[in-house]
Amino acid sequence: MNVVRVLSRLSIVCLSLLACSGWAISEEPKWIFDGESLDGWEGDQNHWRLEDGCIVGEIPRGTTLAKNTWLVWRNGRLKDFELNLQFRIAGLPDANSGIQIRCQVDSIDHVSGYQADLDMGATWLGRIYDEHGRALLVERGSRVHLKPDGTRQSQAFAPVHQYNVLIRDGDWNDYRIVAVGERIDVFINGTLFSSLWDQQQPDRDLEGELALQLHSGPETRIEFQKIQLESLTAADTDRLAPFPDMGAEASPAKDPQGVLPADASGVSLNLDFEAGNLNDWTAVGTAFEGQPLDRDGIAQRWPGQSSNKSGRFFIGGY
């Protein structure tokens, strides 16, 4: 028996022992979108297509989408992983998308779980959201620890407004997500945007599917390319950003709800129509005569409706 054959057999034995002992074995990064077809992906062909080697999700100009819809990757599940891709987004200011990770898929129109958000940089880019669950988990520029009982610790490591300038407007942007065990980090164009340590029971997800989101709303064009997935192991924590002890002063923290406008006495000004109606507002002139309440301005919430991520209301489910 020659040396090569002996080494080969030893390698097989070692790999078998590792597998039997419960140790996961890292895999090489793989391209999960070949730029030539949407094989392995499932979505609404009215909104998702292949164009110039890219995945394109689109709400055409002059139209709206009443509900979120997803393009789901059906060739595997995510556990511990690193996902790298490039995105480009355009449309009206409310244009919105996201990358669903370790998610639970009921259908291409109903997906639940972790979402790494993206928009054109104004609000959602880089946040971590829980679709059909706990809503906003981590604001960009923050790290959040959710303890088993749901107690939240939150610590800001950068001002939120500084992230607006980090998107390459009209150009390709790098999106990187690293998830190992209970930890998830989101990086965009090489910068850490948000960091989550989720121990909350039973809400956390340690395994699930991958899906790309086209968010309900007005004109939007979201493009994805160069999608690469690498399976990691529990030992790959060096891929994550440091998560320092926040100390007692960071606990407890309120759920992130954003800042609501108020006057000097603390009375809400309700400038973004959070109530979903025109209470306390008086129309002057004829600008609103005969016009419906629309999603891009003021919208009435009807029975059975849900609010979208921007805080406005729309017809259809979330």
Side-chain angles (χ1 to χ4, degrees):
M1 184 179 294
N2 60 35
V3 175
V4 173
R5 186 175 298 174
V6 170
L7 291 176
S8 176
R9 289 189 176 182
L10 284 173
S11 298
I12 294 173
V13 171
C14 290
L15 291 172
S16 299
L17 289 173
L18 284 171
C20 292
S21 67
W23 282 85
I25 302 171
S26 296
E27 298 177 2
E28 291 296 317
K30 60 181 179 182
W31 299 101
I32 61 174
F33 168 61
D34 59 13
E36 298 180 357
S37 72
L38 291 179
D39 291 345
W41 296 83
E42 180 186 1
D44 184 346
Q45 296 183 8
N46 293 317
H47 294 287
W48 293 99
R49 66 181 183 274
L50 179 71
E51 183 178 305
D52 297 329
C54 304
I55 292 174
V56 177
E58 187 168 25
I59 304 172
R61 180 179 299 178
T63 68
T64 58
L65 180 62
K67 60 183 178 180
N68 298 348
T69 191
W70 284 266
L71 185 69
V72 181
W73 183 58
R74 293 299 196 182
N75 282 346
R77 291 176 64 81
L78 307 183
K79 295 181 181 179
D80 295 340
F81 68 91
E82 178 171 331
L83 178 70
N84 285 275
L85 56 76
Q86 290 187 329
F87 76 91
R88 183 167 59 187
I89 185 169
L92 294 180
D94 283 350
N96 192 308
S97 180
I99 304 163
Q100 211 85 18
I101 55 171
R102 291 178 175 173
C103 63
Q104 315 309 310
V105 179
D106 295 327
S107 71
I108 59 172
D109 293 329
H110 194 280
V111 172
S112 305
Y114 296 125
Q115 181 174 285
D117 276 309
L118 66 88
D119 62 4
M120 289 185 282
T123 305
W124 285 93
L125 182 65
R127 284 175 164 181
I128 301 176
Y129 192 83
D130 187 0
E131 184 91 2
H132 294 299
R134 295 164 289 175
L136 181 60
L137 298 181
V138 189
E139 176 62 90
R140 53 190 180 184
S142 298
R143 57 179 61 94
V144 169
H145 181 192
L146 293 172
K147 297 185 178 182
D149 63 357
T151 302
R152 174 189 298 269
Q153 283 187 304
S154 180
Q155 184 182 73
F157 56 80
V160 174
H161 69 272
Q162 291 187 358
Y163 287 88
N164 296 1
V165 301
L166 295 180
I167 190 170
R168 301 165 187 152
D169 189 23
D171 202 351
W172 291 105
N173 294 267
D174 301 315
Y175 211 119
R176 175 176 174 242
I177 305 169
V178 180
V180 178
E182 299 166 339
R183 287 285 317 281
I184 300 174
D185 284 350
V186 171
F187 303 83
I188 299 171
N189 293 331
T191 298
L192 177 66
F193 269 57
S194 53
S195 187
L196 173 65
W197 179 9
D198 190 1
Q199 295 182 302
Q200 187 172 356
Q201 301 283 2
D203 303 88
R204 69 176 188 181
D205 289 310
L206 299 181
E207 180 180 351
E209 297 190 67
L210 169 67
L212 307 176
Q213 185 199 56
L214 182 63
H215 197 282
S216 61
E219 176 189 342
T220 300
R221 179 184 172 93
I222 178 67
E223 301 171 80
F224 297 98
Q225 68 172 8
K226 298 181 180 179
I227 307 175
Q228 187 179 60
L229 179 65
E230 180 179 2
S231 294
L232 303 179
T233 72
D236 289 317
T237 54
D238 59 332
R239 304 284 186 97
L240 296 161
F243 204 99
D245 184 0
M246 298 181 190
E249 70 277 3
S251 177
K254 296 180 180 179
D255 291 346
Q257 299 294 332
V259 178
L260 298 179
D263 63 18
S265 63
V267 176
S268 173
L269 296 177
N270 196 24
L271 292 181
D272 200 26
F273 314 106
E274 288 87 357
N277 56 50
L278 294 178
N279 291 348
D280 302 322
W281 290 83
T282 301
V284 177
T286 60
F288 286 94
E289 286 185 4
Q291 295 200 33
L293 302 177
D294 196 4
R295 76 175 66 244
D296 295 330
I298 305 168
Q300 174 68 46
R301 185 174 185 174
W302 293 358
Q305 291 178 295
S306 299
S307 63
N308 67 6
K309 291 185 294 191
S310 67
R312 300 184 177 91
F313 300 100
F314 62 95
I315 297 173
Y318 184 86

